[in-house]
Amino acid sequence: MRKTGKSRRMQEATSIGGNLMLAPLVAMMRLPLMAMDAGSGQPWNTETVRAVNEKTVAMAEGAFAAHMSILQSVSRFWPEVFSGRTPSLFNGVAAELSIGAALKPASRAVKANFHRLSNKA
């Protein structure tokens, strides 16, 4: 049985949501490491730098992915109109895809952080 685009998007959204639900745990696991960094007297130690870098990179990747997703929807506008379908820019599909694309890098970073930090414990 072939999966439809909508069910695939639903699975992807569920995966992203599940990964982002790990964010509070990642923050709780990271706080003791950052406290040790703060107590060492050196202002920017490994875990602090890594935390800032990961968030910056995920934000930039997410913004780029969201823009590319909207650009793809814009490029499909006239073909959708000429085929008699409602353009994705008007029915909310473009916004849904853009939000999913924007959250995916943060979701991957949170999941990777959770696995990395849980191995340190």
Side-chain angles (χ1 to χ4, degrees):
M1 184 167 123
R2 189 168 180 228
K3 293 187 180 202
T4 63
K6 192 170 188 172
S7 67
R8 186 173 41 240
R9 285 196 316 258
M10 180 65 88
Q11 285 179 336
E12 189 172 288
T14 302
S15 174
I16 289 171
N19 290 342
L20 290 176
M21 289 174 64
L22 295 171
L25 293 171
V26 169
M28 288 177 11
M29 288 188 285
R30 185 171 263 157
L31 283 175
L33 298 171
M34 291 176 79
M36 286 187 334
D37 284 351
S40 72
Q42 296 176 346
W44 290 94
N45 285 324
T46 308
E47 192 58 36
T48 305
V49 170
R50 194 169 197 171
V52 171
N53 286 341
E54 287 170 345
K55 286 171 183 55
T56 305
V57 168
M59 185 202 63
E61 286 178 355
F64 182 76
H67 283 78
M68 291 305 295
S69 177
I70 291 293
L71 186 61
Q72 288 174 350
S73 296
V74 167
S75 70
R76 288 191 304 261
F77 179 81
W78 286 112
E80 289 172 341
V81 168
F82 290 143
S83 68
R85 294 181 303 198
T86 303
S88 61
L89 290 171
F90 294 159
N91 65 10
V93 172
E96 180 184 339
L97 293 173
S98 176
I99 291 168
L103 292 176
K104 196 180 292 187
S107 169
R108 280 194 312 263
V110 168
K111 185 176 180 181
N113 285 339
F114 178 76
H115 289 298
R116 179 177 58 82
L117 292 170
S118 62
N119 289 335
K120 285 187 175 186

